[in-house]
Amino acid sequence: MSTLLIIFYFLSAITLATAFLTIISKNPIHSAIYLVICFFTIAGHYLLFNSQFLAIVHIIVYSGAIMVLFLFTIMLMNLNEEGEPHKKMATKLAAAVSFGLVCFVMLAVFIKTMPIIDDYKSSGQDYQSIKVLGKVLLNEYMVPFEFASVLLLVAMIGTVLLSKKEKTIQ
């Protein structure tokens, strides 16, 4: 076994473990810390692919800016268990069905997607170049970039609305 393969397996194990711990952790701060560790190991995967620029940008953007945004959002929400109303069984069932449908759609998309590796070999372009990477991201993938920004904006608005105190009528 080569050294790169051992490093890949090690990073993969840590990535999967911290992603799983992010989901099952009861404390939201611990979940955020596990997510930061997961982001760093994903940056390690970028380094294994010899993509230093993406690794650094991933650390700066995700582990820095996005996680600070998540932590502020978690702190903004008052997560006291005593004051939290219990969710109805229908709500839990609807969430589980929605999750299953999203997983099914994502799996179908991944199965139908053709690999891009053949295009990379035939085109001969160096995707490590920041100039080429910028052109690809801002031309071909402009819609997903905008979608991600709108998604983050909606998540922040939703958090603010959830954290607002309801007025009690007396």
Side-chain angles (χ1 to χ4, degrees), residues 108-161:
V109 167
F110 288 141
I111 289 173
K112 296 286 183 185
T113 305
M114 298 296 293
I116 305 174
I117 296 172
D118 295 334
D119 293 339
Y120 173 71
K121 289 179 183 175
S122 64
S123 70
Q125 282 187 330
D126 180 23
Y127 286 105
Q128 299 298 318
S129 167
I130 297 173
K131 184 177 181 182
V132 174
L133 184 66
K135 285 182 181 177
V136 169
L137 289 178
L138 295 177
N139 288 334
E140 296 176 27
Y141 297 106
M142 183 67 148
V143 174
F145 264 30
E146 293 300 322
F147 182 71
S149 65
V150 168
L151 186 65
L152 286 171
L153 178 67
V154 168
M156 281 300 296
I157 291 171
T159 303
V160 169
L161 290 176

Side-chain angles (χ1 to χ4, degrees), residues 67-84:
M67 281 314 301
V68 167
L69 179 72
F70 282 173
L71 286 175
F72 280 138
T73 304
I74 289 170
M75 287 183 223
L76 183 64
M77 295 175 64
N78 192 7
L79 296 175
N80 293 333
E81 290 185 20
E82 306 89 39
E84 282 292 313

Side-chain angles (χ1 to χ4, degrees), residues 24-122:
I24 66 168
S25 180
K26 300 273 187 203
N27 189 341
I29 302 296
H30 291 161
S31 286
I33 291 171
Y34 291 137
L35 192 59
V36 168
I37 296 170
C38 185
F39 285 157
F40 273 102
T41 57
I42 290 172
H45 284 286
Y46 285 139
L47 288 175
L48 286 178
F49 288 134
N50 197 21
S51 183
Q52 294 85 6
F53 174 72
L54 283 179
I56 295 301
V57 167
H58 183 79
I59 289 173
I60 292 170
V61 171
Y62 285 105
S63 300
I66 301 298
M67 281 314 301
V68 167
L69 179 72
F70 282 173
L71 286 175
F72 280 138
T73 304
I74 289 170
M75 287 183 223
L76 183 64
M77 295 175 64
N78 192 7
L79 296 175
N80 293 333
E81 290 185 20
E82 306 89 39
E84 282 292 313
H86 293 289
K87 303 291 182 201
K88 296 179 184 175
M89 189 61 174
T91 306
K92 291 179 184 180
L93 183 64
V97 169
S98 302
F99 175 74
L101 288 174
V102 168
C103 287
F104 177 73
V105 168
M106 288 180 63
L107 184 63
V109 167
F110 288 141
I111 289 173
K112 296 286 183 185
T113 305
M114 298 296 293
I116 305 174
I117 296 172
D118 295 334
D119 293 339
Y120 173 71
K121 289 179 183 175
S122 64

